[in-house]
Amino acid sequence: MVLSVIIYKIVSTDQGTTHYARVVQSLRGDIPVEALVKWNGHANKLPKGSTPKTELYSSCNLSYVLASSKEVKKLLNTPEDFTPADSIYGLDSYSLGDHVRYFPMTESDPGRAMKKLLHIEPAKITAESEAARFKPESGK
């Protein structure tokens, strides 16, 4: 499963890190747009006994998320830990499991690898309408 998401919250504990995000586009898989997703990672653990740390993000930094479809579980109702993004009634929420890879949509090496996987090409005009063509009589 491949999703394009906006991460809005990261919670770090001594057990690992949980990312919370909203789906912008479902590129492969069947999670709907606007769904809320979370995944767990074991990197960036806080030292044992540390107080959990929550970071909220208001910027719109898009990321690609790559997860195994077998790991995905639909969560019943929207769990409280999705706050503040659960304010829209009826949003579906999903846990993507513990083995998720995500890449910022940048020109970094992982970003290029993900773009190659998805076969994303730069946008280009493939057809031009008659009205949009250069009109010599207009003087422009």
Side-chain angles (χ1 to χ4, degrees), residues 30-102:
D30 56 2
I31 293 182
V33 170
E34 285 297 316
L36 302 175
V37 292
K38 72 175 182 176
W39 65 92
N40 303 314
H42 300 293
N44 304 322
K45 290 182 190 179
L46 295 177
K48 287 274 186 211
S50 295
T51 305
K53 178 181 165 189
T54 300
E55 293 179 70
L56 296 175
Y57 297 91
S58 59
S59 59
C60 292
N61 293 325
L62 292 170
S63 298
Y64 292 125
V65 175
L66 179 61
S68 168
S69 296
K70 290 182 253 173
E71 297 268 327
V72 174
K73 294 184 183 97
K74 185 170 182 178
L75 303 171
L76 295 176
N77 301 315
T78 302
E80 207 171 289
D81 55 2
F82 277 100
T83 304
D86 67 349
S87 58
I88 301 173
Y89 176 75
L91 285 182
D92 290 327
S93 55
Y94 300 82
S95 174
L96 304 184
D98 294 333
H99 304 289
V100 172
R101 302 202 52 201
Y102 77 98

Side-chain angles (χ1 to χ4, degrees), residues 1 4 8 11-12 16 21 25 28 45 60 63 68-69 76-78 82 85 106 112 125 134 137:
M1 160 169 317
S4 176
Y8 66 88
V11 178
S12 301
Q25 187 176 15
R28 289 187 188 169
K45 290 182 190 179
C60 292
S63 298
S68 168
S69 296
L76 295 176
N77 301 315
T78 302
F82 277 100
T106 65
R112 279 198 293 272
I125 296 174
F134 174 72
E137 65 275 8

Side-chain angles (χ1 to χ4, degrees), residues 64 103-120:
Y64 292 125
F103 310 101
M105 293 174 74
T106 65
E107 290 303 316
S108 65
D109 289 341
R112 279 198 293 272
M114 183 61 82
K115 287 177 186 177
K116 186 174 181 182
L117 169 68
L118 296 174
H119 305 292
I120 294 174

